[in-house]
Amino acid sequence: MVCSHCGEVLREKLQQAGFTVEKVELGEVHLAEPINTDQQDRFAKLVRENGFDVINDQNSRLVEQIKQLIIQLVRTSEKLEGPLSDYLAQKVHRDYQQLSRLFSSVEGKSIERYYILQKIERAKELIVYGEMNLSEIAYELDYSSQQHFSRQFKKETGLSPSHFSEIKENRRISIDEV
């Protein structure tokens, strides 16, 4: 899940199906009690029917955790105190080289690329909202300068941020499709 609304919808569907949901967080569902094999199958089917996926193996969970950390980082005002690699290694208590290899093998792109794509999608959203100027967006997304932000935006989208702002077409990609 990438938003609280998605979590609430899933919570409601699971409760309607008879599951006792303790909490729904970004990327996780906590049930009140363990479920048997038949219930696991029903749970997985219901989750998939609602556009999500069940992640059971440890590597997939770790990749999902990395993705959720990056999404949270991009969508909050939290600023990195150092490199992204240090931030992630500290958060998941693993060596960054191991995380990087695993992420690339599962996702087919590097962690850094995923981070950039998330930042660009957030930038598109902020531009469409029109509440911030490009300098403020660059700062919000932790770019070193507006020029750096503009170059990266154009490289990824083919448009300058100001041109994107002018056309205001819905050119965003769903967060889970990045």
Side-chain angles (χ1 to χ4, degrees), residues 55-69 88-89 91-95 98-100 102-103 106 111:
I55 300 170
N56 288 324
D57 71 90
Q58 185 177 3
N59 287 342
S60 295
R61 272 188 258 162
L62 189 54
V63 167
E64 193 61 29
Q65 184 180 6
I66 292 166
K67 289 166 73 174
Q68 295 304 323
L69 284 167
L88 293 174
K91 289 288 189 179
V92 299
H93 310 291
R94 299 278 174 91
D95 174 65
Q98 176 192 6
L99 296 176
S100 179
L102 174 64
F103 192 92
V106 171
I111 290 173

Side-chain angles (χ1 to χ4, degrees), residues 100-117:
S100 179
R101 281 190 299 275
L102 174 64
F103 192 92
S104 294
S105 70
V106 171
E107 289 296 311
K109 62 183 90 151
S110 70
I111 290 173
E112 292 79 8
R113 178 98 178 107
Y114 183 79
Y115 180 54
I116 290 167
L117 293 172

Side-chain angles (χ1 to χ4, degrees), residues 63-99:
V63 167
E64 193 61 29
Q65 184 180 6
I66 292 166
K67 289 166 73 174
Q68 295 304 323
L69 284 167
I70 289 171
I71 290 168
Q72 281 181 303
L73 183 63
V74 169
R75 296 200 155 271
T76 64
S77 297
E78 185 179 355
K79 302 285 185 232
L80 285 173
E81 302 276 326
L84 177 64
S85 57
D86 292 349
Y87 172 81
L88 293 174
Q90 177 206 4
K91 289 288 189 179
V92 299
H93 310 291
R94 299 278 174 91
D95 174 65
Y96 181 75
Q97 296 302 327
Q98 176 192 6
L99 296 176

